[in-house]
Amino acid sequence: MRGRPEILFPLFAQLEGLAGVGPKSAQHFAQMGVEKPRDLIFTLPHSGISRTPHDSVQGASPGEVVTVEVEITAHHPPRSRGRPYRVQAQDALTSFQIVFFHGKSDYLQRILPVGSRRVLSGKVEMFDGIVQMPHPDHIVAPDESETIPPYEPVYPLTAGITQKLIARATQSALDRLPDLPEWIDPALKARENWPDWAAALRAAHSPADSHDLAATAPGRQRLAYDEFFAHQLTLALARARQRKSAAHPTTGDGHLRDRVLAALPYRPTGAQSRAMTEITQDMARPQRMNRLLQGDVGAGKTLVAFMALLVAAEAGGQGVMMAPTEILARQHLQALRPLAESAGVVLELLTGRDKGREREAKLAALARGDIQILVGTHAVFQKDVHFHDLRLAIIDEQHRFGVAQRMELSAKGQGAHVLVMTATPIPRSLSLAQYGDMDISVLDEKPPGRQPVKTALVSEGRMDEVIDHLRRAIAEGRQAYWVCPLVEESEKLDLTAAEERFKRLRAALGEGRVGLVHGQMPPAEKDAAMARFNAGETSVLVATTVIEVGVDVPNATIMVIERAEYFGLAQLHQLRGRVGRGAGASTCLLMYQPPLSETARRRLEILRATEDGFRIAEEDLAMRGAGDVIGTAQSGLPRFRIADLERQAALMAVAQSDARKLLHDDPALESDRGKAARVLLWLQEQDKAFSYITVG
């Protein structure tokens, strides 16, 4: 199929052909992201107003919408400028006023002549003990009363667009709905009792009551499923294409891995062993691995990743592990060094700071194959970096790398396998939306010996007590992090906050005992401060959130987070994960400034109640919504018009398995259902899917 099918043309035409839409209102619609009839039919009403007829306004609560038949008894034009125009009306039981601000006398005399009968529908208010209906939404003659819908849908609006206009334009767009072939699996459609596509849209735009507006209404569910299905079909096509890309089948004899396992003081958890098996099996295939390794704070991703790198080394090839920042790359190097020593493999670091001869020597060793495992930042992407035989690329903290960079990195090795890692537990619905093109391994157990972290809430007024607590801990040889808040996105203020705290703690605890790291420091200074803390030369590290991910100092057992109410749940959970890594009992103190808002209190209480990152992530999703949890800017999350990722997570899972099954049975989408699915992809503007469809 070359371009958009003709059957969809009416939905992709100009808005201006619709009833009531001229050039000006088309511009206003564009402000809402509505540029063609297709966008309009997918803009569903968010609420509704009941307009069932009443006998009288008597007994109505202020603000209630009443539809009532009246006789017009008198007009009271304003006596002075700026006063409202009042019209007296009599219903079956009582008399009340219809009020118009800036009312034009001749116009009102014409539509509400004295002695005529009219049906009015609008909000009832009380003013000085008198019942009023200001600016009714509907004024019609009794014989036209059926033009007032018994339940009127309410649409989202923008400046220049009224409810009447959007309702009229939408009706006009619905009149153009083409008769589309069915793309949903017939068994699923029957089981869920979903209507056909056009019937679902008509039902969604003409609700009979509030139940029809709920996400659970069959028509709305079906339309949400269509969005999820088109999205998952696109991801499944990308995955199928990725799987067609050849890779070196990479298998090792296990001799290096056995050395590491023998040297470990504990046995891997069940989740770690399962993930290692999944990765090893993927690497043995002739198609490129595309797997996400998702683990909670401290679930032991590093070991799993290193075992995968060793498979590459056992096979005579090379592996690379990439981190988004220099600090993280150095942390990985430190964590992997003892493992590399026990295995007897050559491990090196490459960052943007390597210059001149030293860099040339590293690059030469890499190209010869002398370096078996490389750890680096995105400096690894540079043109002059060549591997002898790259078999595996591991990308840490995936959400900071886009899909394009994933592809670019795996292109470095002719067919290197790709493993992506994230320490951010992501609720299942979001991981399906974001990583639906990948296979997922989840580490959901803590390795033995990880201590639980005791979490307490402390108000800012008790700062001196907290400093005393630190003084005692330091005397016992323990170490602490003190995280300063990011104030209102202003780096200058952040800096001042961190520097002030640094000065105060240094004065209280002693000159050489306190270190400082923040985002504005030159990299070398940052590393030096981290190294001093690592070596135990400083006891307290004052930091902005640069230590959020991957920092590992086992002797650090106290985490103080100042103004904790400013941070998101996931971020607090990551920060807390920096302690509890050694044998000592650890504490996390969440300092807040009272009074706390309801949401902030709930966030901090959830954190105090559980250390389960997946449960925290689900709560975070329920509280903040999908875009915020991952940070919409770099989330790669699709924007759905109808579907709701938080509340319809189960549908997303069905859509994924359905999409994968359809492609398995019909890879080129040539069957009747496959062709219908192509129409859906065009309808949902998933045009990029067509570049993934491979023939044969």
Side-chain angles (χ1 to χ4, degrees):
M1 193 176 290
R2 272 284 157 262
R4 185 176 297 118
E6 212 168 304
I7 193 169
L8 293 177
F9 286 1
L11 297 180
F12 284 81
Q14 299 246 311
L15 268 187
E16 289 169 41
L18 298 177
V21 183
K24 196 94 185 116
S25 43
Q27 281 178 346
H28 292 311
F29 270 122
Q31 298 291 311
M32 293 171 60
V34 172
E35 294 175 351
K36 46 196 175 300
R38 171 219 173 263
D39 305 333
L40 195 57
I41 59 172
F42 289 145
T43 304
L44 301 189
H46 55 71
S47 58
I49 297 169
S50 170
R51 296 201 187 273
T52 39
H54 289 59
D55 290 337
S56 172
V57 295
Q58 203 168 315
S61 342
E64 191 182 331
V65 171
V66 177
T67 304
V68 64
E69 186 172 332
V70 300
E71 182 181 343
I72 304 302
T73 56
H75 276 242
H76 305 292
R79 294 216 178 107
S80 58
R81 278 176 68 99
R83 310 287 296 167
Y85 191 112
R86 301 171 191 278
V87 178
Q88 203 65 30
Q90 173 73 44
D91 65 27
L93 299 176
T94 187
S95 165
F96 65 96
Q97 290 181 346
I98 317 166
V99 180
F100 298 92
F101 297 94
H102 315 298
K104 297 273 188 294
S105 183
D106 47 351
Y107 168 72
L108 293 174
Q109 300 273 2
R110 195 169 72 248
I111 63 162
L112 294 165
V114 173
S116 66
R117 295 195 72 74
R118 291 287 182 265
V119 176
L120 311 174
S121 185
K123 263 191 192 151
V124 172
E125 305 288 0
M126 287 293 280
F127 184 73
D128 278 351
I130 299 167
V131 179
Q132 299 188 336
M133 186 183 283
H135 292 274
D137 304 318
H138 297 272
I139 301 174
V140 297
D143 58 356
E144 290 171 2
S145 62
E146 72 284 349
T147 61
I148 302 177
Y151 189 78
E152 187 171 40
V154 175
Y155 290 93
L157 298 179
T158 187
I161 303 285
T162 62
Q163 288 296 343
K164 280 203 171 110
L165 172 60
I166 196 169
R168 191 172 164 211
T170 303
Q171 196 44 59
S172 170
L174 289 171
D175 292 342
R176 303 178 169 203
L177 289 187
D179 184 14
L180 299 183
E182 184 55 81
W183 45 78
I184 294 183
D185 174 43
L188 172 67
K189 185 169 174 250
R191 188 186 81 211
E192 295 295 335
N193 199 16
W194 285 339
D196 289 344
W197 176 73
L201 273 167
R202 291 196 175 96
H205 285 284
S206 48
D209 55 32
S210 59
H211 296 302
D212 291 349
L213 293 165
T216 47
R220 284 201 172 218
Q221 248 196 330
R222 188 238 144 93
L223 295 171
Y225 184 78
D226 289 345
E227 280 192 304
F228 284 157
F229 184 56
H231 171 65
Q232 286 296 331
L233 201 51
T234 305
L235 289 176
L237 283 161
R239 175 173 179 260
R241 184 177 171 191
Q242 174 84 3
R243 294 198 138 184
K244 281 213 166 75
S245 47
H248 285 296
T250 298
T251 50
D253 58 5
H255 74 282
L256 298 177
R257 284 169 286 169
D258 290 345
R259 284 183 204 163
V260 172
L261 289 174
L264 286 179
Y266 56 86
R267 290 182 52 190
T269 62
Q272 282 176 313
S273 304
R274 189 173 63 236
M276 289 175 197
T277 306
E278 288 167 345
I279 292 165
T280 311
Q281 287 171 348
D282 278 359
M283 288 176 72
R285 295 195 180 101
Q287 295 88 26
R288 189 174 290 166
M289 166 167 74
N290 196 20
R291 184 172 286 279
L292 174 72
L293 175 63
Q294 191 187 347
D296 199 352
V297 174
K301 286 182 302 301
T302 309
L303 178 66
V304 175
F306 191 66
M307 291 305 222
L309 291 165
L310 288 182
V311 174
E314 287 170 0
Q318 293 165 296
V320 62
M321 183 162 180
M322 281 189 43
T325 65
E326 183 126 5
I327 283 189
L328 267 181
R330 291 185 184 277
Q331 285 291 334
H332 282 314
L333 184 73
Q334 279 175 336
L336 297 179
R337 202 172 260 143
L339 298 173
E341 279 166 11
S342 58
V345 293
V346 181
L347 172 75
E348 262 299 348
L349 175 73
L350 181 69
T351 71
R353 237 188 288 162
D354 289 303
K355 296 279 186 289
R357 290 214 174 126
E358 195 183 336
R359 185 169 190 275
E360 281 168 26
K362 277 186 189 177
L363 294 184
L366 197 62
R368 285 194 306 273
D370 295 350
I371 296 172
Q372 291 158 288
I373 294 173
L374 183 70
V375 174
T377 55
H378 41 251
V380 173
F381 279 137
Q382 287 164 355
K383 294 281 182 283
D384 58 348
V385 179
H386 300 289
F387 291 84
H388 177 66
D389 180 11
L390 179 62
R391 297 294 187 92
L392 172 67
I394 298 182
I395 302 177
D396 189 28
E397 282 312 308
Q398 155 59 25
H399 62 274
R400 308 195 191 183
F401 290 102
V403 177
Q405 282 172 304
R406 275 199 322 242
M407 298 287 202
E408 194 181 329
L409 184 69
S410 58
K412 276 271 178 204
Q414 292 315 303
H417 291 288
V418 177
L419 176 68
V420 159
M421 301 201 302
T422 175
T424 314
I426 304 167
R428 179 143 186 263
S429 57
L430 292 196
S431 61
L432 287 178
Q434 210 184 357
Y435 304 117
D437 60 325
M438 306 181 83
D439 299 300
I440 299 182
S441 295
V442 177
L443 298 181
D444 47 12
E445 299 170 50
K446 290 259 164 82
R450 283 288 306 216
Q451 300 290 326
V453 178
K454 181 171 175 265
T455 303
L457 309 187
V458 187
S459 95
E460 218 158 67
R462 294 168 58 197
M463 177 90 69
D464 292 338
E465 288 175 49
V466 172
I467 295 176
D468 283 342
H469 174 70
L470 277 189
R471 195 177 284 114
R472 288 194 298 278
I474 290 170
E476 291 166 14
R478 295 193 296 157
Q479 287 174 282
Y481 297 101
W482 188 298
V483 176
C484 292
L486 290 169
V487 187
E488 299 301 327
E489 301 299 306
S490 147
E491 291 184 336
K492 280 205 185 72
L493 288 173
D494 291 347
L495 207 54
T496 337
E499 283 174 343
E500 286 303 310
R501 188 58 62 238
F502 170 63
K503 283 180 194 152
R504 178 166 174 188
L505 290 175
R506 208 170 50 175
L509 304 171
E511 279 292 311
R513 312 258 30 164
V514 186
L516 171 69
V517 283
H518 56 73
Q520 305 295 292
M521 282 172 128
E525 275 181 44
K526 229 188 278 187
D527 283 352
M530 292 295 299
R532 282 197 297 275
F533 185 64
N534 235 332
E537 291 165 26
T538 49
S539 305
V540 178
L541 185 65
V542 175
T544 52
T545 49
V546 288
I547 60 158
E548 190 179 327
V549 176
V551 174
D552 192 356
V553 179
N555 189 44
T557 56
I558 299 170
M559 167 64 73
V560 180
I561 303 174
E562 209 177 320
R563 297 303 287 272
E565 71 272 22
Y566 276 5
F567 296 94
L569 255 177
Q571 211 178 12
L572 289 168
H573 177 62
Q574 286 295 338
L575 286 166
R576 173 171 64 182
R578 300 303 110 219
V579 294
R581 293 174 163 256
S586 293
T587 359
C588 173
L589 300 177
L590 302 173
M591 288 179 78
Y592 64 90
Q593 192 174 40
L596 279 178
S597 72
E598 198 39 55
T599 331
R601 173 168 298 283
R602 191 174 148 202
R603 264 209 305 271
L604 300 183
E605 302 264 339
I606 289 164
L607 212 72
R608 184 165 65 183
T610 180
E611 279 195 77
D612 176 347
F614 287 94
R615 200 187 128 200
I616 287 171
E618 294 286 356
E619 289 282 355
D620 203 13
L621 179 60
M623 285 170 73
R624 291 199 300 158
D628 295 330
V629 170
I630 299 188
T632 313
Q634 85 293 350
S635 70
L637 268 185
R639 298 269 170 87
F640 297 116
R641 274 185 188 266
I642 295 171
D644 179 334
L645 261 177
E646 287 98 278
R647 288 170 195 80
Q648 297 179 304
L651 277 185
M652 178 66 95
V654 178
Q656 186 192 51
S657 57
D658 193 11
R660 288 185 174 186
K661 181 177 184 307
L662 175 60
L663 279 187
H664 175 268
D665 299 344
D666 178 17
L669 298 181
E670 295 295 358
S671 65
D672 286 350
R673 188 179 165 214
K675 286 179 181 147
R678 286 172 174 249
V679 173
L680 170 69
L681 289 170
W682 284 114
L683 174 70
Q684 294 291 355
E685 300 189 313
Q686 295 282 349
D687 308 9
K688 62 177 182 292
F690 293 96
S691 62
Y692 302 141
I693 295 180
T694 40
V695 182

